[in-house]
Amino acid sequence: MTLKKLAVTFALGSMALVTVGATSVLAQSHVNSPDPSLGAPSVSSAESHIGNMTGHAGEGKQLYRRYCIGCHGPDGNGEGMNAQWIDPKPRDFTEATFKCRSTPTGTLPTDQDLYDAITRGFVTTNMPAWKPLTPQQRADLVAFVKTWSPRWTKGKAGAPLDIPAETPITIESILHGRELFQRLECWKCHGPEGHGDGPSAITLTDDKGNPIRPYDFSSGSRFMCGTTNRDLYRIFMTGLDGSPMPSFADVVKPNEAWDLVHFLRTLQPLKTQEADLWMAYRAAHGADLKPIGPDAAPGGQ
Amino acid sequence: MRSGYFTALAVAVLLGSGMLVFAKPPAGSGSITGKVTYTGTPPKMKPIDMSKEPSCAKQHATPVMTQNVTTGPGNALQWVVVYISAGDEGSSAPSQGARYDQKGCEYLPHVLPMQVAQQLQIYNDDQTSHNIHPLSKTNPEWNKSQPPGSPPIDTKYDKAEFIPVKCNIHPWMHGYFAVLNTSHYAVSGEDGSFDIKGLPPGKYTVTAWQEQYPAQSQEVTISGSEAKTANFVFKVLPY
């Protein structure tokens, strides 16, 4: 996406903002006031650190006003002018609850996590990929996003999850991953075949009470929180906070988690080493496979 | 197996109460007792359909009912947290943890009071996975899977908050953590009664919190080791 296209997306939001300017004067104090002492006290001094880059919230604030305010809103609470048309809703930064983290559930993400999320965008949602902005600009935005919640001034990011080197992709690994998918009851939400249609799927809501669907592996769409096997490992270990997708870090051993990664890849209609192995195995032994779901032994044993 | 578990629980309870008496004598001996009742027509609690989780359904001879407005004889209102919201000196958290169970796809107890920084242990006693998802706002929000046979989740909260707890896998499971700044609290029983003990002399605000209706407060002054009464009446609606 080009910056021009992005600018068009936001023109709507910012124009609307101007017309209702009178009513939202109070609400805008944080973003629009020239005096950085208004709103969040630490806006001008707040920083982010990504690699050896330092982001500055003062600059981030200008960029936010230009590119993000239409969705995430003048108060950072996700209630921008365009939010009403958008599903899922833009993130409410005042809650400091984030989906794509390398850190344990319930902890703040690292600056790098936020930077990556902004760079990647959220596929299948309205959150654009902000690659057209320079790395420095994205770092500035990270610094500013963190000024919306006092949790950032009082606490720091959680300790990133340790991810061991990937284990070899073998049929044993895939089969063991399949057992985990059954035993950990991923299928209750994601469905026995990973179609996003498990028995609990239709009842799921996010933290704001809005309906949310589990990821459909057969859609082949990219994950919101990254595309690599390492990203996939991190996704189910840390969970997507603010959504029903829980963390499994306390219940899956590090190397076993790689088995689950290898199995999950077979659920996607992608040309992968995992998929090839699995197809060959299924052709030979498909009849012996017990289907995943409630009819496998209760309790998943 | 089962009886072993209950014995262990009984021992833990005995030890716990023993510790309260010997290790940590109450700072005062005043008390506030009373009853929580309702006026109006309460909503009907509904039977929960657990057929999607047979391992839980078979644990209940009669269907489990929703609990958001649990009433008893004499217009009693159960599961109301009555606590000192002002006037308390504040005390450090007890060494005894608070215990929360997921059993038969229910939360036991429905409302669990605890103190800020008190250790909280969450058990899954079921043959099915739960994901325990306390929807806190003031405290950081987390969401963890707990398959059958997992060790208890050991955690605590740093700020006072009434936190709705849910399991996304079993959407009928609803409970509350009542995280309080005070060590002086009680939860109303089936007959609506509560008993807050061990209060030193002082001027207190007593607050009654119910999950669905606005909280209420009263001022109560205790001199010496007085036993005072405070009753609370919630106005309820049928829907």
Side-chain angles (χ1 to χ4, degrees):
Chain A
M1 202 187 267
T2 64
L3 258 187
K4 214 173 189 177
K5 268 203 209 145
L6 288 175
V8 173
T9 322
F10 305 120
L12 200 142
S14 25
M15 262 156 55
L17 201 72
V18 171
T19 44
V20 294
T23 50
S24 42
V25 165
L26 275 175
Q28 286 176 44
S29 56
H30 180 41
V31 170
N32 286 354
S33 103
D35 174 0
S37 70
L38 279 176
S42 50
V43 169
S44 61
S45 60
E47 289 182 352
S48 68
H49 300 280
I50 291 115
N52 49 21
M53 216 170 13
T54 302
H56 301 283
E59 325 295 321
K61 179 172 164 179
Q62 307 306 323
L63 293 160
Y64 182 90
R65 197 156 31 167
R66 184 138 171 226
Y67 299 115
C68 322
I69 202 168
C71 290
H72 293 284
D75 292 332
N77 60 2
E79 293 178 14
M81 295 307 300
N82 302 331
Q84 56 177 316
W85 315 112
I86 288 179
D87 178 34
K89 295 294 169 209
R91 189 70 69 255
D92 174 353
F93 297 137
T94 65
E95 295 195 333
T97 298
F98 293 94
K99 285 183 181 169
C100 301
R101 290 165 295 98
S102 61
T103 62
T105 178
T107 65
L108 293 168
T110 63
D111 289 357
Q112 182 75 47
D113 291 338
L114 290 174
Y115 178 87
D116 291 343
I118 292 170
T119 305
R120 227 173 14 228
F122 277 61
V123 282
T124 72
T125 83
N126 286 282
M127 168 70 186
W130 293 96
K131 289 195 195 91
L133 297 180
T134 65
Q136 181 61 49
Q137 285 176 314
R138 281 176 259 152
D140 292 341
L141 281 162
V142 170
F144 182 67
V145 160
K146 288 166 56 182
T147 63
W148 290 116
S149 164
R151 275 186 67 198
W152 295 102
T153 41
K154 296 208 197 92
K156 42 183 208 303
L161 179 80
D162 261 329
I163 305 186
E166 182 165 356
T167 57
I169 300 171
T170 60
I171 192 65
E172 288 72 29
S173 171
I174 293 172
L175 283 168
H176 184 236
R178 187 170 184 271
E179 258 170 61
L180 288 171
F181 190 83
Q182 166 76 38
R183 181 153 58 80
L184 300 173
E185 301 185 36
C186 310
W187 58 271
K188 286 246 168 100
C189 294
H190 290 280
E193 314 271 323
H195 293 196
D197 59 354
S200 304
I202 47 162
T203 65
L204 300 178
T205 53
D206 68 14
D207 278 14
K208 305 253 175 189
N210 298 311
I212 187 168
R213 300 308 302 256
Y215 174 80
D216 174 359
F217 287 87
S218 70
S219 70
S221 100
R222 285 188 286 139
F223 303 118
M224 298 185 300
C225 301
T227 51
T228 66
N229 277 9
R230 269 179 85 81
D231 293 326
L232 180 48
Y233 184 111
R234 199 164 35 224
I235 286 167
F236 63 76
M237 290 299 255
T238 66
L240 304 185
D241 284 359
S243 91
M245 171 68 200
S247 160
F248 290 84
D250 293 349
V251 296
V252 186
K253 295 194 191 77
N255 278 338
E256 290 189 318
W258 281 120
D259 297 336
L260 187 51
V261 166
H262 295 153
F263 171 69
L264 294 176
R265 286 299 188 199
T266 69
L267 298 172
Q268 295 180 296
L270 303 177
K271 180 93 189 102
T272 56
Q273 203 183 328
E274 290 92 340
D276 287 348
L277 275 171
W278 185 239
M279 284 234 293
Y281 182 84
R282 275 254 294 253
H285 307 278
D288 308 337
L289 282 171
K290 263 195 283 164
I292 286 173
D295 297 332
Q301 291 313 300
Chain B
M1 183 61 211
R2 261 292 112 90
S3 71
Y5 162 76
F6 281 119
T7 313
L9 193 69
V11 169
V13 168
L14 285 174
L15 280 175
S17 45
M19 267 158 61
L20 277 181
V21 175
F22 301 116
K24 209 178 155 210
S29 48
S31 67
I32 302 172
T33 56
K35 208 172 148 141
V36 187
T37 53
Y38 66 85
T39 55
T41 312
K44 277 220 161 55
M45 295 297 97
K46 298 183 190 72
I48 294 168
D49 175 11
M50 293 191 189
S51 55
K52 273 193 182 167
E53 197 60 79
S55 69
C56 284
K58 71 173 185 221
Q59 294 185 41
H60 305 286
T62 53
V64 174
M65 305 299 278
T66 51
Q67 287 177 292
N68 47 317
V69 186
T70 307
T71 58
N75 283 17
L77 197 54
Q78 201 189 344
W79 299 123
V80 176
V81 182
V82 186
Y83 66 103
I84 305 294
S85 57
D88 201 354
E89 297 281 287
S91 56
S92 55
S95 50
Q96 177 82 358
R99 176 174 176 141
Y100 201 54
D101 280 86
Q102 300 157 98
K103 190 163 170 26
C105 291
E106 271 192 286
Y107 290 128
L108 303 177
H110 174 58
V111 176
L112 177 69
M114 71 192 82
Q115 241 180 291
V116 163
Q118 183 176 358
Q119 228 38 56
L120 162 64
Q121 274 104 27
I122 304 164
Y123 289 76
N124 179 3
D125 310 322
D126 282 330
Q127 290 305 303
T128 180
S129 277
H130 292 294
N131 79 299
I132 174 134
H133 193 174
L135 298 169
S136 49
K137 296 273 173 226
T138 313
N139 292 284
E141 182 203 314
W142 50 264
N143 176 9
K144 290 185 178 185
S145 163
Q146 195 175 30
S150 316
I153 291 172
D154 215 322
T155 184
K156 63 183 165 50
Y157 283 100
D158 292 334
K159 295 195 189 97
E161 183 178 5
F162 291 93
I163 305 172
V165 183
K166 76 188 249 181
C167 171
N168 298 94
I169 301 172
H170 306 107
W172 59 82
M173 291 174 71
H174 288 289
Y176 276 89
F177 295 153
V179 187
L180 304 168
N181 278 320
T182 178
S183 59
H184 297 114
Y185 56 78
V187 178
S188 65
E190 278 173 56
D191 60 355
S193 68
F194 66 89
D195 184 353
I196 302 175
K197 287 198 192 67
L199 285 165
K203 197 167 173 307
Y204 297 107
T205 307
V206 189
T207 299
W209 172 92
Q210 204 278 349
E211 61 189 274
Q212 188 160 324
Y213 303 106
Q216 309 182 7
S217 296
Q218 297 181 24
E219 307 297 320
V220 177
T221 302
I222 290 188
S223 38
S225 55
E226 258 182 312
K228 283 280 178 76
T229 306
N231 294 317
F232 292 89
V233 183
F234 282 80
K235 210 167 144 35
V236 301
L237 296 165
Y239 41 83

